[in-house]
Amino acid sequence: MVDTISDPSDDALLDVEGLRKYFPIHAGLSRRVVANVRAVEDVSFAIPRGKTLSLVGESGCGKSTTSRAVMRALDVTGGSIRFRRQSGEVVDIAGLSRAQMKPLRSEIQMVFQDPFSSLNPRMTVADIIGEPLLVNGIDKRQDRVDRVAELMRRVGLPAQFMQRFPHAFSGGQRQRIGIARALALNPSLMVLDEPVSALDVSVQAQVLNLLLDLQDELALTYLFVAHDLSVVKHISDQVAVMYLGSIVELADTCALFDRPLHPYTEALLSAVPIPNPRKRSARVLLRGEVGSPIKPPPGCPFHPRCAYAQDRCRTEVPRLERTAEGRQVRCHRAHELDLSGVGSMERPV
Amino acid sequence: MVEELTVKHFEITETARGPKQMNGAPVLSVRDLRTHFFQDEGVTKAVDGVSFDVCPGQTVGIVGESGCGKSVTSLSILRIVDPPGRIVSGKILLRREGGGGVTDIAALPANSRALRDIRGGEIGLVFQEPMSSLSPVHTIGSQLMEAIRLHTHLHESAVRERAIDMLRQVGIPQPEQRIDSYAAQLSGGLRQRAMIAIALAGQPRLLIADEPTTALDVTTQAQILELLRSIQEETGMAVALITHDIGVIAEMCDYVIIMYLGRVVEQGPVDQIFFSPKHPYTEALLRSVPNVHSEPKTRLPALAGSVPHPLHRPEGCPFHPRCARFMPGTCERSQPRLTEVGPDQRASCFLYPGADHG
C-alpha cells in the first residue's frame, strides 16, 4: 500500500514514495533469512526545488537509512525515488544499476557528520576538493586549482590554505571543506546528514548560516537529517518526524512546531531543553524505549509509549492521512487530540 | 596517612559567590585551580585560574566550547588528570561530612587511601559515554556491587539486594533480571541509568556529571535530567554539571560558570547569566544558539572565528580576537580579572571597572 503524497505534476526535485529498506538477518548454516530489520517502512515525501526538508527522530528511527537510500548508497527494498535531473528529465533512481547511477552522482552530493573522519588526512585540501573534478574529467590542473580556489572562497575559507592538510583546520573549517567538496560538481540536491552536530555552538551557527546562504545563491535543495530540533527549526521549510522506520508526521516547519498533530511529535518537542531558565516547563515525558524494528509492536508502533493510546491503536496500524492544510499524520486520533507545541517566547538575550 | 587539612585559614565563605539558595556551607570550594599539560610542543594551560563553590542541593553548571577546560576541571576535582597533565596550583577544598573539617583534594598524595575514599564515596562521577566507561566484560550488577562494597559496610548478603534496589531507584525496569546484563545488552538510556546508579552507590554528597546526556536522544535526555533532578531533591546532593548545551544549563542549573580557553569569563546565578549577561562572550554564545522558538530560515547571529588552539592562546584576554567589543591597547595587553558586575555575578572583561587591577 502506497499512500499518495504529492501530485506527480508538481515541481518537486525529489519525490520519494513508499520507500522501504529491509536488512535481512541470516541464521544457521544455510544463512537462511530468519527476519528483517525494517529500517525504513513506507516512507514518502517530496522536496520542491530550492527548499529544505528535514528528517528528524531518535537514533534507529531510519532517518539516516532514508538519506542513504536517496543517495543510492544502499539498494532499496521497495518504493520509488523520483529525481528531476538538471536536464529536466525525471528518473526513478530506486531501480537504477550502479552504472546507470553514475552520471547522476554529480547532481546529488552528500555532507557527512564528522569532519574529522570524512576527510582523507593524507590529501591536501586542494586534492580533496579537486578530486570530484578530476573524476569528472576536468583534466587540466590549472582549471582545477582555479575552481578549488573559487569553491574555498565560496564557503569562507582562505584560498591560500589549499596546499594544507585537514589536520591544520578546526572542526568548523573542516566541515566547510566537506561542503566545498560537495559543491564542486554543481549538484542540485545536497544530502546533509547531521552536518553540524559535531561542531561547537559558536561554529554551528556559522555553518548553518553558510548553508542558508549557499541555498539562496545556488538554489540548492537540501535533505537535512538531524536529531537536534532547534537546528531543524532554523534550516527547514518542511519537517518529517520519523519513528521506527515510518514518517509519523510531516508538515511545514512552523505548523509542526506550533501545533503538532502526532503525540510523538509533541513528546519530542517537549523534550527539547529551552535556553531560558524562566521557562522550565512541565514535560510530556515518554515512557519506556523505542520498540524493535525487527518485531515492531502491533498496531501503531508508537502505542506502547503513547499517553493517548486507545484499544484501536493497539491493533490497527494507522494510515498516513492528509489534512486540508497539506499536512500528513499517521495517528488514529490526530483529528480529536489537542496537542501542544513549543509556543512562542522571547529570547532572553 | 589521611592528610586532613583542618583549615581555618582558608576563608571558604568569603569568596563564595552566592548561589541563590544557600543550603549551608559549600560542599566543594575550588580556588584558583590551574591544571596544565606539559607537552613537547609547549605547555597547554587547560585550566588556568578557576574558582567556584558548590553548595548542598545546588546545581552548578560549567559550560563552554571544546578546549575551554570544563572537563579537565572535573577531572582535576577527582585527581584523575592523566600525565602530561598536572595540577600546578590551587586548592580543591572538600568539606567533610558531619563537621569533619575540610580536605584539600589537590594536596592529597596520588593513590592515597583518602583519595580513593573520596572518589566514588563523597564525590560521584558520571561520564558522557556509558558504553566506554562501563566495563564490557563485567555485568552491570558486578560493577555496581563492587562500588557498594567499596563505599558501604553492608554485609555481603545484603549487597545484591541493595544493588537491585538502586537499579530500581534509577528507573531500570525489571532490575532483578537487568542486574545480570552486560553494558552492551542495554540501550543508551538504560546504560546511563546504570552508570548513575554506580555513581550513587557511595551516597555521594557531590555528583559530577560530565556531559551526562550528550550521547543520548532528546527524549532519553529529558528522562535522565528528570532522574538527576529527583535524586537531588531526595538526597540534597550537590551537582556539578559539565555541558556544552546551553539548553541543559537553563533547564538544570542554579549557578553557571562560563569558561573560555581555560579561564572563567563569567559566573553568576542562572537568571542573571541568561537575562543580564555581562561578558561579550557570554552574550554572543547565548545569541548564537539555535532555538525552537526562532523564525525558520533566518541567519543566526554567529560568533566570528573559532576557538584558537589551546597551545596558541592569544595574549591578554583570550577572547579578544573574536570579541565584538575589542578595545585596542587594552584587551591584548593583559588578562582581565574576574570582577563583580552584578548581584553574585562576576565577569572578566575590561569593560568593567576592577578588571585591570592585579
Side-chain angles (χ1 to χ4, degrees):
Chain A
M1 179 200 69
V2 174
D3 301 296
T4 49
I5 301 307
S6 50
D7 323 324
S9 60
D10 68 10
D11 64 342
L13 182 87
L14 182 73
D15 190 347
V16 175
E17 260 189 47
L19 183 69
R20 281 183 179 74
K21 175 64 194 175
Y22 295 171
F23 293 97
I25 302 170
H26 300 276
L29 279 176
S30 58
R31 310 299 295 149
R32 187 165 57 89
V33 175
V34 291
N36 281 303
V37 178
R38 299 177 182 188
V40 176
E41 179 74 288
D42 193 13
V43 159
S44 306
F45 60 84
I47 319 179
R49 184 186 302 278
K51 300 289 184 188
T52 303
L53 180 129
S54 289
L55 298 172
V56 297
E58 298 176 273
S59 38
C61 72
K63 54 189 193 298
S64 284
T65 308
T66 303
S67 75
R68 282 178 168 71
V70 166
M71 290 285 300
R72 281 303 306 279
L74 294 170
D75 285 333
V76 303
T77 309
S80 70
I81 304 166
R82 284 201 296 277
F83 175 69
R84 188 178 295 269
R85 296 200 58 179
Q86 283 162 359
S87 61
E89 175 199 5
V90 176
V91 280
D92 180 2
I93 58 179
L96 297 186
S97 68
R98 272 179 84 96
Q100 288 169 316
M101 196 56 208
K102 206 171 174 198
L104 277 95
R105 294 254 175 234
S106 66
E107 298 183 28
I108 308 175
Q109 288 288 317
M110 184 151 194
V111 176
F112 298 91
Q113 169 172 7
D114 184 355
F116 292 87
S117 59
S118 57
L119 302 178
N120 186 338
R122 290 163 188 266
M123 285 167 77
T124 63
V125 171
D127 289 339
I128 289 171
I129 301 175
E131 193 176 35
L133 301 170
L134 183 65
V135 171
N136 282 273
I138 299 176
D139 292 327
K140 271 171 73 187
R141 188 176 162 73
Q142 192 54 47
D143 291 352
R144 286 203 307 274
V145 168
D146 291 347
R147 175 80 177 129
V148 167
E150 183 201 329
L151 286 163
M152 286 181 75
R153 274 192 296 274
R154 175 138 251 163
V155 297
L157 287 171
Q160 68 264 30
F161 290 169
M162 71 165 74
Q163 292 309 324
R164 296 193 182 184
F165 289 89
H167 71 82
F169 295 87
S170 68
Q173 288 172 322
R174 287 185 214 204
Q175 200 56 304
R176 288 173 195 266
I177 296 169
I179 292 170
R181 175 176 60 184
L183 288 175
L185 297 171
N186 295 317
S188 42
L189 177 66
M190 297 257 276
V191 177
L192 305 149
D193 192 352
E194 302 272 11
V196 297
S197 52
L199 304 177
D200 272 325
V201 180
S202 68
V203 178
Q204 182 174 314
Q206 296 169 5
V207 173
L208 286 175
N209 285 345
L210 173 66
L211 290 172
L212 286 171
D213 291 346
L214 290 171
Q215 183 167 47
D216 265 0
E217 291 160 23
L218 306 171
L220 293 168
T221 307
Y222 292 155
L223 175 61
F224 195 89
V225 178
H227 71 282
D228 185 334
L229 287 150
S230 318
V231 168
V232 163
K233 175 87 187 272
H234 248 277
I235 196 107
S236 321
D237 295 288
Q238 285 190 302
V239 180
V241 180
M242 293 187 69
Y243 188 79
L244 266 183
S246 311
I247 291 180
V248 295
E249 182 168 4
L250 192 160
D252 285 348
T253 306
C254 281
L256 186 112
F257 278 79
D258 293 343
R259 287 175 296 109
L261 294 179
H262 196 286
Y264 178 63
T265 313
E266 182 189 45
L268 209 54
L269 292 176
S270 124
V272 180
I274 307 294
N276 182 343
R278 293 182 190 165
K279 196 94 181 183
R280 292 180 184 175
S281 52
R283 299 186 174 290
V284 185
L285 271 187
L286 276 187
R287 302 167 292 179
E289 310 252 326
V290 181
S292 158
I294 302 170
K295 198 167 172 290
C300 170
F302 184 59
H303 87 257
R305 309 178 75 190
C306 182
Y308 309 97
Q310 293 177 332
D311 286 346
R312 187 180 174 198
C313 307
R314 295 183 188 103
T315 53
E316 202 179 314
V317 181
R319 282 177 53 95
L320 194 64
E321 281 173 47
R322 278 194 90 158
T323 70
E325 308 126 294
R327 303 177 60 163
Q328 297 164 33
V329 60
R330 202 185 280 270
C331 174
H332 291 307
R333 304 192 61 198
H335 54 280
E336 48 177 310
L337 294 175
D338 185 22
L339 305 176
S340 37
V342 295
S344 60
M345 184 200 71
E346 278 171 48
R347 297 190 68 113
V349 287
Chain B
M1 205 155 98
V2 181
E3 292 185 26
E4 200 121 310
L5 308 169
T6 31
V7 221
K8 289 157 210 102
H9 54 277
F10 295 156
E11 294 120 323
I12 293 184
T13 43
E14 190 214 64
T15 38
R17 288 303 144 184
K20 272 184 298 183
Q21 64 280 50
M22 285 283 293
N23 301 326
V27 186
L28 183 81
S29 299
V30 175
R31 287 292 167 271
D32 201 30
L33 177 69
R34 287 167 206 270
T35 304
H36 297 177
F37 286 74
F38 299 88
Q39 294 149 299
D40 294 342
E41 304 93 313
V43 178
T44 303
K45 297 176 177 176
V47 178
D48 201 27
V50 169
S51 304
F52 62 91
D53 294 332
V54 192
C55 293
Q58 188 191 30
T59 302
V60 170
I62 306 179
V63 65
E65 300 179 273
S66 45
C68 75
K70 55 189 191 297
S71 281
V72 176
T73 303
S74 72
L75 298 180
S76 301
I77 293 170
L78 284 167
R79 292 281 304 278
I80 46 178
V81 179
D82 283 329
R86 184 152 53 82
I87 297 176
V88 293
S89 69
K91 296 190 167 65
I92 302 164
L93 305 172
L94 179 71
R95 189 174 289 274
R96 308 309 291 263
E97 211 158 358
V102 172
T103 303
D104 183 0
I105 298 176
L108 291 176
N111 296 322
S112 62
R113 182 65 211 240
L115 202 50
R116 278 184 285 140
D117 282 344
I118 289 170
R119 293 179 188 143
E122 287 178 80
I123 305 179
L125 179 61
V126 176
F127 285 106
Q128 168 173 359
E129 224 327 305
M131 193 61 219
S132 51
S133 34
L134 290 172
S135 161
V137 294
H138 297 93
T139 61
I140 296 298
S142 77
Q143 295 174 70
L144 176 54
M145 288 189 287
E146 182 186 17
I148 294 171
R149 279 187 210 106
L150 276 173
H151 297 290
T152 64
H153 303 291
L154 280 182
H155 191 263
E156 187 54 36
S157 60
V159 168
R160 190 177 164 92
E161 210 163 301
R162 172 66 166 276
I164 292 174
D165 211 47
M166 297 209 60
L167 292 178
R168 189 176 295 122
Q169 260 179 48
V170 296
I172 294 183
Q174 300 151 336
E176 296 84 358
Q177 282 110 61
R178 298 283 195 187
I179 190 167
D180 295 318
S181 314
Y182 292 89
Q185 298 170 315
L186 302 179
S187 68
L190 288 187
R191 248 179 252 147
Q192 197 56 294
R193 286 175 192 268
M195 178 95 201
I196 291 173
I198 294 170
L200 295 177
Q203 295 170 310
R205 289 178 305 129
L206 171 66
L207 183 74
I208 299 177
D210 190 348
E211 304 269 11
T213 58
T214 305
L216 303 177
D217 278 317
V218 60
T219 56
T220 315
Q221 164 171 293
Q223 291 173 355
I224 296 290
L225 294 180
E226 186 58 44
L227 173 69
L228 286 175
R229 249 192 307 249
S230 71
I231 292 169
Q232 187 178 34
E233 237 162 65
E234 264 169 50
T235 62
M237 176 177 75
V239 176
L241 182 67
I242 287 105
T243 181
H244 70 284
D245 188 326
I246 309 285
V248 170
I249 290 283
E251 198 76 41
M252 296 289 289
C253 298
D254 306 303
Y255 193 81
V256 184
I257 296 156
I258 292 148
M259 291 183 70
Y260 187 78
L261 281 177
R263 296 185 62 87
V264 173
V265 295
E266 186 163 0
Q267 58 190 73
V270 68
D271 204 72
Q272 289 290 115
I273 295 291
F274 278 82
F275 288 92
S276 176
K278 293 295 192 293
H279 198 285
Y281 177 65
T282 314
E283 203 185 334
L285 189 68
L286 292 175
R287 276 184 200 284
S288 69
V289 182
N291 186 316
V292 284
H293 294 101
S294 49
E295 199 51 36
K297 315 258 340 192
T298 47
R299 288 177 59 93
L300 282 161
L303 250 166
S306 53
V307 183
H309 192 280
L311 263 179
H312 309 118
R313 189 163 75 186
E315 288 294 304
C317 170
F319 183 60
H320 84 259
R322 304 175 74 191
C323 186
R325 306 184 64 178
F326 168 61
M327 295 174 285
T330 307
C331 297
E332 76 280 29
R333 293 267 169 82
S334 58
Q335 282 191 355
R337 217 168 61 122
L338 263 184
T339 178
E340 201 86 35
V341 290
D344 296 335
Q345 189 180 8
R346 296 193 290 167
S348 61
C349 179
F350 290 115
L351 289 171
Y352 304 98
D356 47 0
H357 310 300

